[in-house]
Amino acid sequence: MTDGRITFHPLSFVPEGADVVVGRGDTGTYAVLPHDGAELLRRLIGGSTAAEAATWYERNFGEAVDVDDFLGSLADLGFVTSPGSAVIGAVAAPRFQWLGRALFSAPAWIVYAAVVALALIELAGRPDLRPAASHVYFTASLVTVQVVLLFGTIPLSFLHEAYHVLAGQRLGLHSRLGISNRYNFVVFETKNNGLLSVRRGQRYLPFVAGMLIDVVLASALTLAAAPLVGGGAAAAYTGRLCLALSFSIVARLAWQLLLHLRTDLYYVLSTALNCYDLHDASRSILANRFRRLAGRTAGLVDETQWTDRDRRVGSWYGWFIALGFAGTVVLAVVFTGPIAVTYAVRAFQGVLAGTGTWHFWDSLISLAILAVQFLLPAVLAWRKRRHNRARQPRLRAS
């Protein structure tokens, strides 16, 4: 058995029913331990040697424990400090914690509520302002629609993710916002792993903060469009642009309902159900059922890798994943379908208008942009595969 005292990195302990979530906020590594396991870890952190902790455990819980095996698992998680390594000390407060607290303060909530309420009042009496796929085409130029919506939605997406980050930093968590790409589109990604180091009730706001600002922004754009759409040419154009951006936000909110895509609402539901890896657990359990029905028991996934709670909930939640694919089709028909049909009709009419018209060149350039958007990801993927193959060592026959 290991001799001497073991040192650990700073760990958080969050009770979750009969279990305790233990983890490192600086690395985002967490483990779900039973109550007795968490108490054993606390004993080791308090300075007990492995032998002392084993004796204490057997005396208090009436059974022996393999402390060395327990420590090995903790070391794999990065909880145990390695010889000669420094223990992480106190971490400074997040840089924008003050901003997060301001944006989720009582005065801010009053402003958010007022904007949404005024927008709802406006929508009740103005059917022309209500979200509709036709709002996407705020101008006759297809190129203008593509370019404006492409670059106009980038700051809106940034604000969505920034609110996730700031809601986490408000709690003192070092949430981060990164920039990546999905195919050939710029996307923003939030890293909020530290949420498991706070109580369950504190996690909901960081999960829904992005949707909160989406609702506020869509409401603000609707209010901005209200006095403009019936005005002069320039004012009406600006109003239609606001409605187009508002519709893009509403469409993004609708996709949050597709829980199988691990949307913000999925994390809210998973937290409410006290689960930690509900998606993978339920998907594997559902797949195992189909494999058993087909008699393919050799390919079954080991379900014991998830907590008892994840398995219990996953036994029925898996059907939500199946329904989610049907929901994807429905939303595609409701949102994407009308937009695609309108685009095809306008582009076809523009091409038929002849080379002497601006409609022709507008449609041709628009189709070229669309082709690049579809072809560029395929070309980049092909180049990446070829590059990876070129780097692989070749075997030579002797």
Side-chain angles (χ1 to χ4, degrees):
M1 184 171 288
T2 304
D3 296 324
R5 303 188 187 280
I6 304 97
T7 57
F8 295 83
H9 292 283
L11 301 175
S12 60
F13 289 76
V14 181
E16 294 282 358
D19 298 320
V20 180
V21 179
V22 182
R24 286 181 59 181
D26 59 317
T27 62
T29 306
Y30 295 87
V32 181
L33 300 179
H35 174 72
D36 59 325
E39 290 304 310
L40 176 61
L41 176 55
R42 288 183 188 275
R43 197 78 181 179
L44 291 166
I45 292 174
S48 296
T49 64
E52 292 169 346
T55 302
W56 172 87
Y57 184 93
E58 186 171 3
R59 183 173 63 250
N60 284 271
F61 295 99
E63 58 180 331
V65 63
D66 187 342
V67 178
D68 283 339
D69 182 64
F70 183 63
L71 285 171
S73 298
L74 296 176
D76 291 340
L77 290 167
F79 293 175
V80 181
T81 61
S82 57
S85 65
V87 178
I88 302 298
V91 181
R95 181 179 180 184
F96 294 104
Q97 186 177 32
W98 64 271
L99 181 58
R101 288 175 174 172
L103 290 176
F104 297 101
S105 62
W109 282 107
I110 293 173
V111 173
Y112 299 152
V115 171
V116 175
L118 290 173
L120 290 175
I121 294 172
E122 198 71 44
L123 289 170
R126 294 281 301 275
D128 59 315
L129 298 179
R130 296 170 189 170
S134 58
H135 288 164
V136 170
Y137 297 98
F138 61 92
T139 179
S141 171
L142 294 177
V143 172
T144 302
V145 169
Q146 284 176 297
V147 173
V148 170
L149 289 184
L150 174 62
F151 291 100
T153 54
I154 289 178
L156 298 178
S157 298
F158 171 82
L159 282 174
H160 175 98
E161 298 300 331
Y163 259 64
H164 285 305
V165 170
L166 292 170
Q169 292 201 355
R170 156 184 161 272
L171 298 174
L173 304 177
H174 285 264
S175 306
R176 299 189 302 275
L177 177 63
I179 301 177
S180 183
N181 70 292
R182 190 166 298 155
Y183 294 100
N184 57 316
F185 297 101
V186 175
V187 295
F188 299 93
E189 299 175 337
T190 303
K191 295 182 179 179
N192 240 346
N193 292 334
L195 282 175
L196 289 176
S197 64
V198 299
R199 297 189 307 274
R200 194 192 319 171
Q202 295 178 301
R203 301 172 198 163
Y204 292 112
L205 182 56
F207 287 143
V208 303
M211 292 185 291
L212 164 68
I213 193 58
D214 282 346
V215 172
V216 174
L217 286 173
S219 300
L221 287 167
T222 300
L223 290 175
L228 298 174
V229 291
Y237 182 89
T238 304
R240 293 195 302 272
L241 173 58
C242 289
L243 291 178
L245 292 173
S246 178
F247 177 80
S248 71
I249 296 175
V250 172
R252 184 168 62 202
L253 282 168
W255 284 94
Q256 294 288 348
L257 297 172
L258 304 179
L259 302 179
H260 68 290
L261 298 178
R262 300 198 197 196
T263 60
D264 297 342
L265 284 179
Y266 158 77
Y267 288 105
V268 171
L269 181 60
S270 179
T271 301
L273 292 172
N274 195 21
C275 295
Y276 305 99
D277 194 6
L278 179 59
H279 180 84
D280 286 344
S282 56
R283 185 179 60 179
S284 297
I285 291 171
L286 184 63
N288 280 351
R289 286 175 177 171
F290 285 117
R291 289 190 183 100
R292 290 189 184 99
L293 288 174
R296 297 169 54 192
T297 56
L300 294 178
V301 178
D302 180 14
E303 298 177 9
T304 61
Q305 61 185 295
W306 293 286
T307 64
D308 292 339
R309 180 66 180 176
D310 278 352
R311 294 200 300 271
R312 284 197 299 271
V313 177
S315 64
W316 57 263
Y317 181 81
W319 297 108
F320 278 78
I321 295 179
L323 290 174
F325 289 102
T328 303
V329 175
V330 171
L331 289 182
V333 171
V334 172
F335 289 102
T336 310
I339 296 172
V341 170
T342 302
Y343 177 86
V345 170
R346 289 195 179 189
F348 183 70
Q349 290 175 342
V351 172
L352 293 181
T355 57
T357 65
W358 74 268
H359 290 288
F360 172 84
W361 294 107
D362 180 78
S363 297
L364 195 64
I365 295 172
S366 175
L367 289 169
I369 294 174
L370 188 65
V372 169
Q373 287 179 319
F374 278 97
L375 292 176
L376 185 59
V379 172
L380 292 176
W382 173 77
R383 289 187 61 183
K384 185 176 181 179
R385 286 196 301 270
R386 189 178 67 170
H387 177 71
N388 290 338
R389 285 198 301 267
R391 294 182 61 184
Q392 291 177 352
R394 293 185 174 86
L395 297 177
R396 294 182 179 179
S398 56

